[in-house]
Amino acid sequence: MTPNELSIRRYRRHAAGYDASAQRTMPLRRRTIALLDLQPGQVVLDVGAGTGLSYALLRAGVGDAGRVLAFEQSPEMFELARERVAREDWRNVWQVCESAETVQLPQPADAVLFNYTHDILRSRAALHNLMRQVKPGARIAIAGIRYFPWWTGPLNLYAWLKNRPYNARPGELWRPWDRIEPYCQSLQRWTTQFGMGYIACGHKRD
Ligand SMILES: C[S@@+](CC[C@H](N)C(=O)[O-])C[C@H]1O[C@@H](n2cnc3c(N)ncnc32)[C@H](O)[C@@H]1O
């Protein structure tokens, strides 16, 4: 089974309860989106958008003249995102059920959000496909899970176990940002969740 197939299988189970379980990380989501410093009229890309929980915040940043582009490969997660957009009648959200490795955006993005998209950050093919469709200088913001510092020892078993039900590549948590880093001019980082999380922000290289 490929990592994409495994991830799709996992999110089939998570979709129904996803929004409820994501409520406690809403402050982190807000903080990460604020780092994008969105401006009215901009185009922002929501990578692996899940059920579309970030759409309202992203729309608030780009305004009616801007656009939110989003993709998500799990049909069950995407269906919830599709229902959200239809329910809210959001006309400036473009979204597609597609993988990060193959998605084709309708236009280049000014800003990119990776909110808890570990598998995508670990896929070189996904990053290659996405970053070639993003404007030079685009702002990039990332939030995700990482290992605690090495000296905490067994605590990292907890981090791995926490990541496993959601991700097809549950390891590689020492430096989960290191494959996107070469695409960025600079990547500032902050530790969150007592050491088990991180937020990063930078600009795409010209
Ligand atoms: C933890 S959820 C985060 C969803 C959303 N970004 C959020 O903040 O609520 C990770 C999402 O990435 C999606 N995903 C994982 N690998 C993917 C890939 N290669 N292409 C597209 N979506 C992917 C999963 O289906 C899942 O919906």
Side-chain angles (χ1 to χ4, degrees):
M1 190 178 288
T2 66
N4 294 65
E5 288 165 345
L6 182 55
S7 174
I8 288 170
R9 197 164 88 175
R10 297 214 157 135
Y11 277 93
R12 191 162 295 143
R13 280 201 312 274
H14 292 309
Y18 186 82
D19 285 8
S21 70
Q23 285 312 310
R24 64 195 153 74
T25 49
M26 281 310 268
L28 277 176
R29 184 187 300 273
R30 280 193 208 94
R31 190 174 149 195
T32 310
I33 291 174
L35 288 170
L36 289 174
D37 192 25
L38 294 172
Q39 301 298 318
Q42 282 190 327
V43 176
V44 59
L45 171 63
D46 190 358
V47 169
T51 62
L53 266 182
S54 294
Y55 292 173
L57 294 165
L58 296 174
R59 285 184 77 257
V62 299
D64 288 338
R67 201 172 184 203
V68 177
L69 311 180
F71 66 87
E72 163 56 49
Q73 73 174 3
S74 152
E76 289 78 10
M77 296 288 274
F78 182 75
E79 179 54 21
L80 295 173
R82 200 195 56 72
E83 283 170 13
R84 186 190 303 278
V85 171
R87 191 170 58 240
E88 303 288 348
D89 195 23
W90 286 333
R91 307 278 170 94
N92 62 346
V93 178
W94 173 94
Q95 54 177 353
V96 66
C97 187
E98 186 70 68
S99 82
E101 288 80 0
T102 55
V103 68
Q104 297 296 318
L105 304 179
Q107 64 193 112
D110 298 295
V112 190
L113 174 68
F114 291 83
N115 195 62
Y116 284 82
T117 55
H118 177 74
D119 280 339
I120 298 175
L121 287 171
R122 301 315 297 161
S123 163
R124 288 192 174 90
L127 292 176
H128 175 76
N129 180 46
L130 296 177
M131 298 312 280
R132 70 185 175 80
Q133 301 183 69
V134 169
K135 287 185 189 170
R139 211 163 166 99
I140 295 167
I142 307 168
I145 189 169
R146 61 170 294 180
Y147 278 142
F148 292 102
W150 64 269
W151 44 265
T152 58
L155 262 188
N156 282 324
L157 180 61
Y158 173 74
W160 185 85
L161 286 171
K162 194 112 175 85
N163 205 26
R164 189 177 177 279
Y166 293 93
N167 290 300
R169 297 172 174 93
E172 303 182 37
L173 287 170
W174 288 117
R175 293 176 59 81
W177 54 83
D178 67 359
R179 290 193 177 153
I180 196 167
E181 205 164 20
Y183 290 97
C184 301
Q185 244 154 26
S186 60
L187 201 64
Q188 266 188 290
R189 242 181 325 101
W190 300 268
T191 295
T192 62
Q193 295 155 298
F194 307 104
M196 202 181 77
Y198 71 98
I199 287 181
C201 167
H203 291 270
K204 189 193 162 192
R205 262 180 213 288
D206 290 346

